[in-house]
Amino acid sequence: MRRLTSTVLPLACLALASCTTPRADGSPRIQTTNEANRENLTGAVRAPLRDINVLRTKIPPVLLAAIADPYARPEKASCQALIELIRPLNDALGADLDTPSQDEDDLLDKGRGTALSAVAGVTTEAIPFRGWVRKLSGAERHDNLVQAAIMAGGVRRAYLKGLGESRGCSPPATPSHELAGSTPPTQGWKPRYPIRR
């Protein structure tokens, strides 16, 4: 029995080590470990499994290709070809910076996110020497790869939109310019909700 346990347990861990987790809503959009931990209660409870690299964020192939060469010249540079290259990036990354953000977070959503962060924090504190465990298990390296994929995908999308702009294409093959002329944010702190005095 002891020999069976010592053989099966490492094999089970190796099998689980390659598990990737998609988003709970089924969206192809990539998410960081922090986003996965705050997505829902299941994600918060699974936080330690991410720390020991049993569960990993799946990186879409379009972002892995962007890491390899974010400035690769497209074979065809027509407006339609650029749109076909930008759409998978939009699916993987979400809305671009040229799209007005819809700030729909209400207090209930913020409270939910805070509560899930607390649950994830409690579950990850169960791992002693968590920083070392993340480093030795490869979880930290994978999280760095996810961040690099997000950055490379953003650079790739901007490059393709710049090509579209130079060719006179219309959105989504070029920036939308919806935010042109908007006031830049200030660095001072201002309360989000009215405060009674």
Side-chain angles (χ1 to χ4, degrees):
M1 181 69 174
R2 179 179 263 177
R3 178 177 278 178
L4 180 65
T5 304
S6 65
T7 305
V8 173
L9 188 60
L11 291 175
C13 288
L14 284 173
L16 286 173
S18 62
C19 291
T20 57
T21 57
R23 294 179 69 97
D25 61 4
S27 160
R29 185 171 171 231
I30 192 170
Q31 63 185 170
T32 63
T33 296
N34 288 335
E35 290 171 336
N37 290 348
R38 290 189 321 255
E39 186 176 25
N40 55 27
L41 186 58
T42 304
V45 172
R46 288 181 176 173
L49 296 176
R50 287 186 179 80
D51 285 340
I52 59 173
N53 209 20
V54 170
L55 293 179
R56 302 170 125 195
T57 298
K58 182 175 182 179
I59 302 173
V62 69
L63 297 183
L64 292 172
I67 289 175
D69 188 2
Y71 299 105
R73 291 184 180 166
E75 291 178 21
K76 296 179 183 176
S78 68
C79 293
Q80 187 58 40
L82 291 173
I83 289 172
E84 290 173 12
L85 291 172
I86 291 171
R87 275 197 183 126
L89 290 165
N90 286 341
D91 291 342
L93 297 170
D96 200 356
L97 294 174
D98 63 339
T99 307
S101 65
Q102 298 175 347
D103 194 11
E104 298 176 354
D105 287 349
D106 59 7
L107 285 175
L108 187 61
D109 289 337
K110 286 200 169 287
R112 181 177 169 269
T114 303
L116 291 173
S117 293
V119 170
V122 167
T123 57
T124 56
E125 285 177 8
I127 300 174
F129 304 106
R130 180 176 175 251
W132 282 103
V133 169
R134 287 182 49 76
K135 190 177 289 288
L136 295 173
S137 69
E140 183 178 307
R141 185 173 53 245
H142 183 74
D143 284 350
N144 290 339
L145 182 62
V146 169
Q147 292 294 336
I150 291 169
M151 182 172 288
V155 169
R156 178 75 179 153
R157 180 167 59 184
Y159 171 72
L160 293 172
K161 283 188 174 188
L163 286 177
E165 183 91 14
S166 69
R167 286 170 171 68
C169 300
S170 57
T174 188
S176 69
H177 299 291
E178 289 181 42
L179 300 176
S182 61
T183 57
T186 60
Q187 293 187 32
W189 182 80
K190 180 178 157 186
R192 182 174 171 141
Y193 299 101
I195 297 174
R196 280 191 180 175
R197 293 186 180 178

